Amino acid sequence: SPQSLATASLRRRRFSMPRSVALVQVFAAMRAQNLAIALSRLRISVQELAEFLRTLDFGRSGLSVEDIEVLLGKMPTPEEARRVLRHASEQEKLRDIEQKIVPLCSLPDAEVRLRVAYVAMTHQSQYDRLIERVSCWQAAVAEVTSSKRLHELLRTALKVANYINHGAGGADAGAKAISIKSLPPFAAYSCGRASAMDYLCITLCDGEFL
């Protein structure tokens, strides 16, 4: 009957309609989003990024330290790379972000190489800062070790401390060295109205010393 023919034709059309194919998703939703955002900020393509990490040619990277900082921790893990590369010959089965990341998945130890690049690119600035600090310390040490006034102050303070602790024979029985940290207690030790710190000042602070 006409109705039966119409029903059969409708069934054939339904069966002939293409079904949507689920794309392969290796990365979790949040990780995929973070990776996509990080890659979108680069001034170079993913292929160029993979080539840079392969050669580690720092003179032609096209990347800044800030770019690498954004990428750190976002490179595909070995397991993620293996899962993506299973479909490397049929990339149309992969979701957009998985397709985009294929060049990095083909690179062994992408995250390790990225960290090496980060250390190399930040080395010079860190080196300059460290050299500046070391130079400052060296200058301070040179001033301390060459200061005659400081040496005289410490020698006198050592004599006073040994006298306080051991009496007149303190030079032989007492300490052989003293540090600047030992000076504050001199203000607490007093004989009458004068403290040991007062004695140091009166003894040392003459016109020549100043």
Side-chain angles (χ1 to χ4, degrees):
S1 66
Q3 184 176 0
S4 299
L5 291 174
T7 302
S9 176
L10 179 59
R11 287 176 179 173
R12 285 196 298 271
R13 286 200 299 271
R14 285 178 178 173
F15 283 116
S16 64
M17 290 178 63
R19 296 182 179 180
S20 59
V21 179
L23 298 175
V24 176
Q25 300 182 11
V26 174
F27 303 109
M30 184 58 67
R31 178 156 165 73
Q33 180 180 353
N34 292 338
L35 184 55
I37 293 173
L39 293 176
S40 68
R41 295 179 178 178
L42 300 181
R43 294 168 292 178
I44 62 175
S45 66
V46 177
Q47 288 79 5
E48 290 171 322
L49 173 61
E51 180 64 14
F52 161 66
L53 293 178
R54 186 185 68 80
T55 62
L56 292 177
D57 184 356
F58 306 114
R60 302 175 58 185
S61 68
L63 293 171
S64 65
V65 173
E66 291 73 19
D67 293 331
I68 294 182
E69 288 176 343
V70 170
L71 291 171
L72 285 173
K74 298 180 178 66
M75 293 295 98
T77 65
E79 176 59 27
E80 290 170 341
R82 282 192 294 269
R83 292 174 60 189
V84 170
L85 291 177
R86 289 173 190 166
H87 306 277
S89 60
E90 299 176 306
Q91 295 187 25
E92 67 277 3
K93 294 183 178 181
L94 295 171
R95 185 175 48 173
D96 289 347
I97 186 60
E98 280 78 7
Q99 291 185 29
K100 194 172 186 178
I101 210 71
V102 166
L104 293 174
C105 294
S106 304
L107 185 69
D109 303 321
E111 183 68 28
V112 174
R113 289 173 175 270
L114 188 68
R115 292 186 179 277
V116 170
Y118 180 72
V119 170
M121 294 176 70
T122 57
H123 169 75
Q124 187 61 47
S125 59
Q126 292 178 349
Y127 172 81
D128 291 340
R129 287 197 298 270
L130 289 174
I131 286 296
E132 183 179 356
R133 292 175 63 183
V134 170
S135 299
C136 181
W137 293 337
Q138 288 177 331
V141 169
E143 288 186 10
V144 169
T145 55
S146 63
S147 175
K148 295 181 179 179
R149 292 183 177 87
L150 179 60
H151 294 174
E152 185 179 355
L153 168 63
L154 293 178
R155 284 196 299 268
T156 305
L158 179 61
K159 291 178 182 178
V160 172
N162 284 335
Y163 180 83
I164 293 173
N165 293 325
H166 304 284
D172 297 326
K176 304 302 180 184
I178 192 171
S179 69
I180 295 177
K181 292 182 180 180
S182 302
L183 295 180
F186 278 63
Y189 183 84
S190 60
C191 181
R193 299 177 61 181
S195 67
M197 185 66 74
D198 295 330
Y199 174 80
L200 285 177
C201 294
I202 293 172
T203 302
L204 296 174
C205 294
D206 56 14
E208 184 180 354
F209 183 88
L210 297 175

